[in-house]
Amino acid sequence: MVRLLALALGVASFAVPVQANDLVTDYTLDNGMQVVVVEDHRAPVVMHMVWYKAGSADEQPGVSGVAHFLEHLLFKSTDNMESGEFSATVAANGGRDNAFTSYDMTAYHQRVASDRLELMMRMESDRMVNLRLQEHEVATEREVIIEERNQRVENNPGALFREQLSAAQYQNHRYGVPVIGWRHEMEALSLQDARSFYDTFYAPNNAILLVAGDVDPLAVKELAEQYYGVLPANPDLPERARPQEPPQISLRRMTYNDPRVAQPYVTRSYLAPERNPGDQEAAAALTLLAEILGGGQTSVLSQKLQFEQKKVVYAASWYNGTSLDATTFDFVVVPVPGVSLQEVEDAMDAVVSEFIETGVDAEQLARIKMQLRASEIYERDNVSSLANRYGRALTAGLTIADIQAWSDILQAVSEEDIIAAAEQVFDKRRSVTGWLMGQEEVTQ
């Protein structure tokens, strides 16, 4: 095993570190489980994470929400632990634990003192293969996730609006289905649904063990082999292939009325390319484009619409390319009272068109690049952020080499690259525009 700065998955090589506190070791166990160690010896703490390359977009039709449902059930009984014992043990040892589900992955994590790493591996490896699903626990936890949907979605018109927008954007791909699930399908989730997802995807050859913090890579390797290396691989692990979107050839529009809406607003999303292994340049240009157009009060949209024209109280754009399949580039504009949604949408389009015509401000671009570089450096002060950066990218199909190269790729993006990315992505035939409106619009 070799201490590395950057290497592709499963390939060992030497590299001279060019950035502090970013020493990464990568190896693969005999059963196919990837192990990644990110060293940071400044504090005696460690982040222990297991990332499964399975999220809500890997669910079968008809059982939406089962990935998130199973995440909850992993805190119940195993053959060796009682329900709730996992988290109670972490807390008793001075640590914190949690989990989260996204479209492309499910992750379980604990932050503990470095000398408690072995205990975390013993418990986490146990629930990878020994989950004991029981009908009463399944029924109870199903009610929990339904109540979670009530609180986070049903009681939030903005969340309901965003669900409908995603469904309009992705008409064939599973990104159009909410991670938490559609309520009518959540209500029917069964023990067998959870067991099927668990048996299919929860296996070492579909998981990444990521350990970040005050650890020795050799010691981590020994522990990983002891606790994870003995687990059987799933020889029938399916290929990670999802239904893809057909070409979108017509713009899509939707309105959503809800009497609970106090502030109407306009959103626009465009289908956009994601970061791909060895091919991240387009995603880097879109990342900078989002910052330039709507990354804060000094952005183009804020300066033009909020401060000069005084038509909006808020304007933003964002892009996150860390996904397995095609993602979106998004805008939102919130008008001031008295300005209609049509007027503010037209004003947004005019500002974006003017930007493409006039080009990128070189000083603004240099400032944003400096800010991004600084944020990457500050991120290394937090082992949780470090672990998340690697875990999210690896489960989205990127390599360690891609992750390490990302910063330099961002810095190399030119003004021309950004305008070319804008011209390619901002095609209204590949967009969804949404208006969120309140009671006054319902009655007109």
Side-chain angles (χ1 to χ4, degrees), residues 128-238:
M128 180 179 285
V129 294
N130 294 320
L131 184 64
R132 190 173 64 209
L133 292 173
Q134 302 181 73
E135 284 288 359
H136 72 279
E137 291 182 336
V138 168
T140 299
E141 210 58 35
R142 186 170 53 236
E143 293 303 314
V144 170
I145 62 169
I146 290 172
E147 181 56 28
E148 183 177 342
R149 180 179 170 88
N150 287 339
Q151 294 179 1
R152 295 185 177 183
V153 182
E154 304 294 349
N155 292 331
N156 184 338
L160 290 168
F161 176 55
R162 289 189 293 273
E163 275 192 348
Q164 295 300 308
L165 285 170
S166 292
Q169 184 78 79
Y170 293 100
Q171 298 187 343
N172 196 50
H173 194 283
R174 294 290 294 182
Y175 286 168
V177 178
V179 173
I180 199 169
W182 298 119
R183 185 188 180 96
H184 67 287
E185 293 183 348
M186 295 170 66
E187 292 172 342
L189 289 174
S190 67
L191 184 153
Q192 185 54 46
D193 295 329
R195 170 58 67 180
S196 177
F197 198 86
Y198 180 75
D199 290 344
T200 300
F201 295 112
Y202 279 53
N205 54 323
N206 195 45
I208 300 168
L209 170 63
L210 207 153
V211 179
D214 185 27
V215 291
D216 174 70
L218 282 171
V220 172
K221 183 175 188 293
E222 293 175 359
L223 290 173
E225 289 176 336
Q226 178 181 351
Y227 290 102
Y228 292 103
V230 297
L231 304 181
N234 178 6
D236 300 318
L237 183 68

Side-chain angles (χ1 to χ4, degrees), residues 76-83 85-86 89 122-124 126-127 132:
K76 301 299 182 181
S77 308
T78 72
D79 291 344
N80 302 299
M81 290 186 290
E82 295 301 320
S83 180
E85 183 179 345
F86 189 106
T89 302
R122 177 172 62 80
M123 294 195 301
E124 193 67 78
D126 175 53
R127 65 178 178 178
R132 190 173 64 209

Side-chain angles (χ1 to χ4, degrees), residues 379-391:
E379 184 184 57
R380 296 191 182 96
D381 289 334
N382 187 318
V383 293
S384 299
S385 296
L386 272 176
N388 272 280
R389 177 158 63 93
Y390 280 89

Side-chain angles (χ1 to χ4, degrees), residues 4 13 16-17 48 77 92 101 110 139 141 180 188 196 207 220 236 278 313 327 331 340 385 387 392 420-421:
L4 308 173
S13 61
V16 179
H48 172 265
S77 308
T101 305
Q110 305 89 41
E141 210 58 35
I180 199 169
S196 177
V220 172
D236 300 318
V313 295
T327 184
F331 291 95
S340 70
S385 296
R392 289 184 184 278

Side-chain angles (χ1 to χ4, degrees), residues 322-344:
T322 308
S323 64
L324 190 64
D325 296 314
T327 184
T328 59
F329 190 108
D330 297 82
F331 291 95
V332 62
V333 284
V334 183
V336 300
V339 176
S340 70
L341 296 183
Q342 185 63 63
E343 183 179 355
V344 79

Side-chain angles (χ1 to χ4, degrees), residues 35-73:
V35 181
V36 178
V37 182
V38 185
E39 294 179 67
D40 183 350
H41 300 286
R42 289 174 292 177
V45 297
V46 64
M47 191 76 172
H48 172 265
M49 306 189 79
V50 169
W51 298 72
Y52 292 97
K53 290 180 277 188
S56 66
D58 299 291
E59 299 165 342
Q60 291 298 309
V63 291
S64 65
V66 71
H68 174 248
F69 184 36
L70 180 59
E71 175 213 311
H72 279 241
L73 291 171

